[in-house]
Amino acid sequence: MPVISAPHAFNEGQLFVDLEPVLGCRLHLKCEGFNFAGSVKLKAANEMVEAAERDGLLTEDSIVVESSSGNLGVALSMIAASKGYRFLCVTDSRCNLSTRLLMEALGSEVHIVADLDANGGFLGKRIEYVRALCASDDRYVWLSQYTNAGNWRAHYRTTGPEIAGHFPRLDVLFVGAGTTGTLMGCARYFRQWHRPVRIVAVDCVGSVSFGGEPGRRMIPGLGMSMRPPLLDESYVDDVVRVEEVDTIRTCHRLARRGFLFGGSTGTVVSGATDWLARHDTGGLTAVAIAPDLGERYLDTIYQANWLQDLYGDEIFDPEEVPATSPRGKPTERRRAVGGDRGGQH
């Protein structure tokens, strides 16, 4: 193992999980959560900060500011702490409590936006707050993950080649769509590769990234309440939309086999298994990208009260009940959410 002096210098990019024993279909999962920031967002954060430093935008008086639902905020908190910058994360009420506490533990300030925008999400209001902040004080430097080319370049330089190195016969790649930085970086890399690779974007129902009606989205990470400025659909071959109940059931299904992943991973894996079930995949090499791990979701998608309050009793398998009842009373110890069903929708 390497000896490092800065936390962002370590990022394990060579770990893949064979999900066939768990899901019954041929799918490999690239795990991006094994770094000190705990997610794939470390790559984009590092790229954007280094670009801002090269361009002379960051000085010792600068205050880095960014809008984030969680993971990028943690990555920037870590980098800012390491480099000596102040950092303000503008997030919203969907941000997991553990994520907010982690950012604050790293010395960052967190501002929570409570008002919804015109599309029923928080993103518009978060960006509005950031713009007003920057206009009020020129010390604030907004990296703007939604428009910053460093977001996708990070994955063009790292994530794409890491996948290609392990799977030289790759046929299809499943990538979750949030800001679309990971999606666009990988898609651009494989567009010029030695063989055609089908790029499947996985989005959540209620997101308007690829059109459609906006809807309630309670699991942070994927989806947008506006069209992502970085998105170029000419690089995308298919789009799969996943219901949040299928995200949750997939997360629990993986957890019951010892793999505790976050909500974004549950969405990507659910979308991938759905796509693979509907296509002739005999002999295909398929890879999906897991953005993070599951520890930050213990009080949400892995917590019975939170699940029932938002989704009702139907979220639980009809033959099983959660380990704790919705009112916190102990019940018979049984598995919760989804049996061994796949994420069909």
Side-chain angles (χ1 to χ4, degrees), residues 236-252:
V236 179
D237 297 297
D238 287 308
V239 178
V240 179
R241 293 177 173 84
V242 177
E243 296 277 0
E244 286 193 333
V245 292
D246 292 318
T247 291
I248 293 164
R249 287 169 178 161
T250 299
C251 285
H252 282 251

Side-chain angles (χ1 to χ4, degrees), residues 202-272:
V202 183
D203 200 8
C204 47
V205 172
S207 166
V208 301
S209 296
F210 296 91
E213 292 297 316
R216 185 186 77 163
R217 293 179 293 113
M218 299 306 300
I219 301 174
L222 297 184
M224 294 270 278
S225 57
M226 68 178 190
R227 180 179 174 82
L230 294 176
L231 176 61
D232 183 344
E233 290 191 59
S234 68
Y235 287 93
V236 179
D237 297 297
D238 287 308
V239 178
V240 179
R241 293 177 173 84
V242 177
E243 296 277 0
E244 286 193 333
V245 292
D246 292 318
T247 291
I248 293 164
R249 287 169 178 161
T250 299
C251 285
H252 282 251
R253 184 181 183 187
L254 292 169
R256 287 196 300 275
R257 298 296 294 271
F259 294 108
L260 193 73
F261 285 108
S264 297
T265 300
T267 302
V268 174
V269 172
S270 178

Side-chain angles (χ1 to χ4, degrees), residues 52-177:
E53 289 175 331
R54 289 194 301 269
D55 294 341
L57 299 176
L58 289 175
T59 69
E60 61 181 14
D61 295 324
S62 296
I63 305 171
V64 179
V65 61
E66 186 56 271
S67 161
S68 171
S69 62
N71 281 338
L72 182 71
V74 172
L76 287 172
S77 294
M78 186 190 77
I79 292 172
S82 174
K83 291 175 174 283
Y85 297 120
R86 291 173 60 189
F87 173 59
L88 168 62
C89 181
V90 179
T91 188
D92 59 65
S93 56
R94 293 180 308 170
C95 179
N96 296 326
L97 175 61
S98 59
T99 299
R100 177 171 63 81
L101 294 175
L102 180 53
M103 287 189 281
E104 292 173 342
L106 289 166
S108 298
E109 182 182 349
V110 180
H111 177 82
I112 299 175
V113 171
D115 296 331
L116 296 173
D117 59 27
N119 286 324
F122 295 99
L123 181 56
K125 291 295 184 180
R126 288 185 354 214
I127 292 176
E128 183 180 301
Y129 183 87
V130 171
R131 285 177 173 156
L133 203 63
C134 292
S136 70
D137 189 334
D138 59 10
R139 291 178 301 166
Y140 286 102
V141 177
W142 181 23
L143 298 175
S144 185
Q145 63 167 322
Y146 312 106
T147 59
N148 194 320
N151 191 345
W152 68 261
R153 285 198 190 106
H155 302 286
Y156 180 88
R157 293 194 308 103
T158 62
T159 311
E162 287 165 359
I163 295 169
H166 276 267
F167 298 95
R169 303 295 296 175
L170 180 68
D171 294 298
V172 57
L173 178 65
F174 299 94
V175 189

